Amino acid sequence: MFNLILFGPPGSGKGTQSEKLIARYGLKHLSTGDLLRSEISQQTPLGLEAKKIMDKGQLVPDEVVIGMISSALDGNPDAKGFLFDGFPRTDKQAEALDKLLDLKKTSIAVMLALNVSEEELVKRLVKRGETSGRSDDSNEGVIRARIAEYNSKTAAVAEYYKKFDKVVLVKGEGSVDDIFGGLCGEIDKRID
Ligand code: B4P
């Protein structure tokens, strides 16, 4: 099994690159953002609560996203590997993920961290907000709050994986195809 974390701030290209990576490597894509948006569109109680938090640019509680990932892992027993996109976002989520994978006798092979400047992030998300209909992209204040939340709670997750020597920084600015090439180069060094 090959399990990969695609890491980076909001707007760094995780969703964009994940689609291309799963097509090339046949991994199961687990995006907590997509799972939460699906709950919102179905107007479930979880989705209605999550929307209030996401619209402020804050992180949804750890228990909620850990529960979603745990169910998704159990629901895909035949996956040849998982691509985690937007998860883990806190140390507590990282520790929970390690335990869940341990129970399945597997682990994270590598964390690929996309490196993008804050001004480029804001530019991309403001642009996406013009067409996406996503309320968390709808104004620059919320976008900057998401980046601040990333800096205060999520950036440290890379330190957690650095302890195990699993973090590789990848250039996240430039064309989508060039960035994809950089990510594939790192995966090809590690995958069987
Ligand atoms: P996510 O859905 O994870 O979304 P994101 O971080 O905003 O964006 P992503 O990084 O995937 O965007 P992409 O670059 O693809 O999270 C949304 C919210 O859900 C969070 O704020 C939080 O509230 C909640 N949440 C999710 N997971 C959670 C967790 N584990 N714990 C707690 N809360 C959680 O795309 C950005 C734009 O850039 C696109 O328009 C794209 O076209 C463009 N783009 C991509 N690559 C580009 C390039 N190379 N050049 C130019 N533009 C590019």
Side-chain angles (χ1 to χ4, degrees), residues 62-176:
D62 288 332
E63 306 72 55
V64 173
V65 284
I66 291 167
M68 289 192 321
I69 288 289
S70 175
S71 310
L73 290 174
D74 288 343
N76 289 280
D78 299 327
K80 62 186 247 194
F82 292 95
L83 190 169
F84 296 95
D85 159 9
F87 180 89
R89 265 177 154 97
T90 64
D91 278 352
K92 198 168 162 199
Q93 293 179 21
E95 284 162 19
L97 178 60
D98 275 357
K99 285 194 190 130
L100 289 170
L101 293 176
D102 207 38
L103 286 173
K104 299 190 185 305
K105 307 264 179 288
T106 185
S107 61
I108 293 297
V110 66
M111 169 188 266
L112 299 178
L114 290 165
N115 192 18
V116 179
S117 73
E118 179 159 339
E119 283 325 296
E120 171 71 11
L121 298 173
V122 173
K123 205 169 84 188
R124 288 182 190 179
L125 293 175
V126 166
K127 186 161 171 240
R128 182 170 71 183
E130 290 165 7
T131 53
S132 69
R134 270 179 61 169
S135 43
D136 60 346
D137 286 341
S138 62
N139 75 66
E140 196 173 320
V142 175
I143 290 169
R144 290 205 184 264
R146 284 160 61 197
I147 295 171
E149 190 87 331
Y150 170 85
N151 288 332
S152 70
K153 295 186 182 153
T154 304
V157 175
E159 301 304 316
Y160 175 89
Y161 287 98
K162 268 185 204 160
K163 284 187 290 197
F164 307 103
D165 207 17
K166 289 189 174 171
V167 182
V168 178
L169 207 61
V170 177
K171 189 167 126 281
E173 293 191 34
S175 78
V176 169

Side-chain angles (χ1 to χ4, degrees), residues 43-72:
Q43 302 201 317
T44 64
L46 188 159
L48 295 173
E49 273 314 300
K51 183 172 188 318
K52 289 186 212 155
I53 300 169
M54 290 163 75
D55 283 355
K56 287 188 255 175
Q58 294 168 357
L59 293 181
V60 171
D62 288 332
E63 306 72 55
V64 173
V65 284
I66 291 167
M68 289 192 321
I69 288 289
S70 175
S71 310

